[in-house]
């Protein structure tokens, strides 16, 4: 029997739904050009995403029909998806003219990876939205005909719920959560129930950053459930970045329950506001979606205005799951007083200091012809700083000793 009590997790979902209702304020521009309002009421927007190098891929025009969009070879998975779509249309001819397709390569650029990592099997995911680019369904991998039918049916159902309960966000949130639990295995059901009762008690979501932090916390706690699931089914740890795991995750069944468990956080929300978090959570790496100057004009101005007069320090945001670990770490050795990561951050804050996403860092390095950083060679990159008068940046990794950078950056 379903409970109609307002659990704290539902409070978070209600916030998501309220932002996503037609007429709600949307600060960010849509990810792709909007189709006409008359078309939006009858179209599905299918977004195909891969972790291929965004700097080497030339993606064709946005909002193409599925025949034209999937006939290209700009993404590795298009021939497989084209076959699935042909089978879908054969079974559901009513869907023949319903899809517009958009494609994205959002992986870490190959020049920022080791050769071994860059040569791993590619990954993909598919997000199905309504004509207004609100998220309705999600699959990690390359969907076959059966999976596409499931996504369309789910999209139809969620679209109906969004319309039916647009003035009753509590009921809508409860329905989305209930349907998620209906579709997943028992261990995922139990996890969702435990989170709504225990982990979000008293939590309020007031802005996108707070939502992202809450979503990241949820995903981090979901990861052990997925790890146990894959170990039982495939005898392989889910966090092993191996060719076998990559190939397994090209099949939607591998992550289906995981996707269903995160979907209530995304459904009804504008694609542009959640795509970074959705990709980050799925692949445990921040996406690089857009490195054009138009998208990073404010960052470029900030950098240029300080470049000639001061040292510039940038703290690199980690992926969602890693971001749940407290940083700087607490100092447990009194002998290191004055030489800890907290001390380094204190010194850095006296310079031009800013937190940046990986995409922003890639943009700046390209803009100023700086040699790329090999991110996955050694420990995680935490800071990048450009000393006054020097073009080559200093890279600070978690395995480094902060003391040497404190001396280097300290202002007498």
């Amino acid at each position: 029997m379903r409970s109609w009590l307002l659990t704290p997790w539902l409070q978070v979902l209600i916030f998501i739904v309220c932002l996503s209702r037609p007429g709600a304020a949307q600060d960010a521009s849509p990810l792709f050009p909007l189709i006409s309002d008359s078309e939006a009421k009858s179209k599905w927007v299918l977004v195909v995403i891969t972790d291929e190098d965004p700097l080497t891929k030339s993606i064709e025009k946005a909002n193409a029909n599925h025949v034209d969009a999937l006939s290209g070879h700009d993404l590795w998975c298009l021939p497989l998806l084209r076959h699935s779509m042909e089978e879908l249309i054969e079974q559901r001819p009513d869907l023949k003219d319903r899809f517009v397709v958009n494609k994205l390569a959002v992986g870490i650029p190959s020049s920022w990876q080791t050769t071994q990592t860059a040569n791993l099997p590619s990954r993909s995911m598919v997000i199905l939205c309504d004509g207004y680019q609100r998220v309705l369904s999600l699959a990690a991998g390359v969907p076959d005909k059966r999976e596409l039918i499931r996504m369309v049916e789910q999209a139809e159902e969620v679209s109906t719920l969004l319309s039916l309960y647009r003035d009753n966000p509590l009921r809508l949130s409860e329905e989305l959560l209930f349907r998620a639990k209906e579709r997943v295995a028992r261990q995922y059901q139990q996890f969702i129930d435990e989170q709504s009762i225990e982990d979000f008690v008293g939590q309020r979501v007031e802005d996108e950053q707070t939502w992202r932090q809450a979503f990241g916390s949820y995903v981090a706690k979901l990861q052990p459930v997925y790890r146990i699931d894959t170990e039982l089914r495939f005898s392989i740890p889910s966090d092993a970045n191996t060719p076998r795991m990559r190939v397994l995750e090209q099949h939607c069944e591998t992550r289906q329950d995981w996707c269903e468990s995160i979907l209530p956080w995304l459904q009804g929300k504008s694609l542009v506001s959640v795509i970074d978090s959705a990709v980050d959570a799925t692949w445990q790496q921040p996406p690089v979606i857009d490195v054009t100057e138009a998208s990073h004009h404010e960052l470029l101005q900030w950098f240029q205005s300080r470049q000639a007069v001061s040292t510039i320090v940038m703290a690199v945001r980690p992926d969602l799951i890693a971001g749940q670990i407290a940083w700087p770490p607490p100092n447990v050795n009194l002998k290191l007083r004055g030489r800890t990561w907290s001390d380094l951050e204190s010194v850095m804050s006296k310079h031009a200091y800013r937190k940046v996403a990986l995409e922003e860092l890639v943009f700046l390095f390209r803009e100023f012809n700086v040699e790329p950083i090999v991110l996955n060679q050694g420990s995680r990159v935490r800071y990048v700083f450009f000393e006054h008068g020097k073009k080559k940046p200093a890279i600070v990794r978690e395995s480094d000793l902060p003391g040497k950078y404190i001396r280097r950056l300290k202002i007498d």
Side-chain angles (χ1 to χ4, degrees):
M1 182 176 180
R2 282 177 276 174
S3 169
W4 299 95
L5 294 176
L6 180 56
T7 66
W9 194 52
L10 289 179
Q11 293 174 7
V12 177
L13 287 175
I14 290 170
F15 170 80
I16 296 169
V17 169
C18 287
L19 284 183
S20 307
R21 290 168 53 196
Q26 297 289 345
D27 293 331
S29 300
L31 192 60
F32 307 103
L34 289 172
I35 57 179
S36 67
D37 193 58
S38 59
E39 282 190 303
K41 295 175 181 177
S42 62
K43 297 287 188 181
W44 301 122
V45 178
L46 187 74
V47 185
V48 185
I49 306 167
T50 74
D51 68 344
E52 293 171 283
D53 187 344
L55 306 184
T56 62
K57 290 292 178 181
S58 178
I59 305 299
E60 297 168 1
K61 67 177 182 178
N63 293 329
N65 67 68
H66 74 272
V67 175
D68 293 337
L70 301 181
S71 62
H73 298 279
D74 38 346
L75 298 179
W76 74 269
C77 60
L78 293 185
L80 298 171
L81 190 55
R82 180 171 66 249
H83 178 70
S84 300
M85 186 66 75
E86 289 170 352
E87 291 187 326
L88 170 69
I89 301 303
E90 184 177 345
Q91 182 166 334
R92 288 280 305 268
D94 58 302
L95 298 174
K96 180 179 179 181
D97 298 317
R98 293 286 304 277
F99 293 97
V100 294
V101 178
N102 289 292
K103 298 170 286 188
L104 290 170
V106 302
I108 297 175
S110 55
S111 57
W112 290 63
Q113 302 183 64
T114 62
T115 303
Q116 182 180 3
T117 305
N119 289 335
L120 284 169
S122 297
R123 296 176 289 195
S124 68
M125 58 190 296
V126 174
I127 300 177
L128 188 59
C129 305
D130 64 10
Y132 302 100
Q133 296 182 32
R134 296 181 299 174
V135 175
L136 303 176
S137 188
L138 163 73
V142 185
D144 57 16
K145 178 194 71 172
R146 180 184 60 82
E147 183 65 23
L148 282 175
I149 290 174
R150 186 197 66 79
M151 292 182 71
V152 169
E153 291 175 347
Q154 184 176 49
E156 291 171 338
E157 181 181 40
V158 174
S159 184
T160 300
L161 291 174
L162 290 174
S163 176
L164 188 61
Y165 298 121
R166 60 179 299 176
D167 296 318
N168 190 346
L170 168 59
R171 180 68 182 273
L172 175 57
S173 299
E174 196 278 342
E175 290 291 339
L176 293 176
L177 178 56
F178 175 74
R179 279 161 173 73
K181 291 192 290 186
E182 270 192 326
R183 292 187 174 102
V184 297
R186 183 171 57 84
Q187 65 268 36
Y188 290 91
Q189 293 175 357
Q190 183 178 352
F191 170 80
I192 295 172
D193 282 333
E194 288 174 351
Q195 299 310 302
S196 61
I197 294 170
E198 298 174 8
D199 294 294
F200 294 97
V201 174
Q203 174 136 356
R204 296 182 59 190
V205 176
E206 298 176 347
D207 55 42
E208 288 294 336
Q209 186 57 40
T210 305
W211 177 86
R212 178 179 168 84
Q213 185 66 26
F215 178 65
S217 175
Y218 177 85
V219 169
K221 292 166 186 170
L222 178 61
Q223 191 63 17
V225 181
Y226 178 61
R227 183 181 301 118
I228 293 171
D229 181 26
T230 54
E231 286 176 353
L232 289 174
R233 286 189 291 158
F234 310 117
S235 300
I236 183 172
S238 65
D239 56 353
N241 199 13
T242 62
R244 184 184 174 195
M245 194 64 213
R246 290 288 190 100
V247 171
L248 283 171
E249 290 192 336
Q250 290 176 355
H251 300 272
C252 293
E253 294 85 352
T254 304
R255 272 196 181 264
Q256 182 171 330
D257 282 359
W258 183 91
C259 288
E260 294 290 351
S261 298
I262 71 165
L263 259 173
W265 289 82
L266 310 176
Q267 286 167 323
K269 212 165 193 303
S270 63
L271 176 65
V272 68
S273 66
V274 299
I275 187 169
D276 285 66
S277 297
V279 173
D280 192 329
T282 306
W283 295 334
Q284 294 180 50
Q285 69 180 41
V288 178
I289 298 176
D290 185 356
V291 291
T292 63
E293 181 179 339
S295 297
H296 300 287
H297 182 66
E298 184 274 330
L299 172 66
L300 180 61
Q301 284 189 321
W302 176 87
F303 190 91
Q304 288 178 324
S305 66
R306 291 157 177 80
Q307 186 182 22
V309 295
S310 65
T311 292
I312 296 177
V313 180
M314 292 176 288
V316 184
R317 293 193 190 102
D319 63 84
L320 266 178
I321 293 179
Q324 302 307 306
I325 302 171
W327 186 269
N331 179 30
V332 295
N333 187 347
L334 295 179
K335 294 180 180 179
L336 293 177
R337 184 176 297 169
R339 294 176 289 158
T340 67
W341 288 106
S342 294
D343 296 316
L344 177 59
E345 282 225 336
S346 178
V347 170
M348 286 178 166
S349 67
K350 293 178 172 59
H351 298 278
Y353 179 87
R354 179 172 179 148
K355 292 182 179 179
V356 296
L358 175 61
E359 177 181 288
E360 294 175 309
L361 196 64
V362 171
F363 163 74
L364 285 175
F365 274 51
R366 276 170 52 86
E367 185 71 18
F368 294 97
N369 296 315
V370 180
E371 184 178 348
I373 304 168
V374 181
L375 295 172
N376 50 7
Q377 188 174 58
S379 60
R380 182 180 289 111
V381 173
R382 280 290 179 177
Y383 306 99
V384 175
F385 64 89
F386 290 82
E387 293 175 282
H388 180 217
K390 295 182 181 178
K391 178 173 174 138
K392 187 174 181 180
I395 313 302
V396 185
R397 297 180 183 268
E398 287 184 357
S399 59
D400 291 335
L401 295 174
K404 67 177 183 179
Y405 296 107
I406 293 174
R407 292 189 297 271
R408 192 165 165 179
L409 291 170
K410 196 167 184 178
I411 300 175
D412 297 326

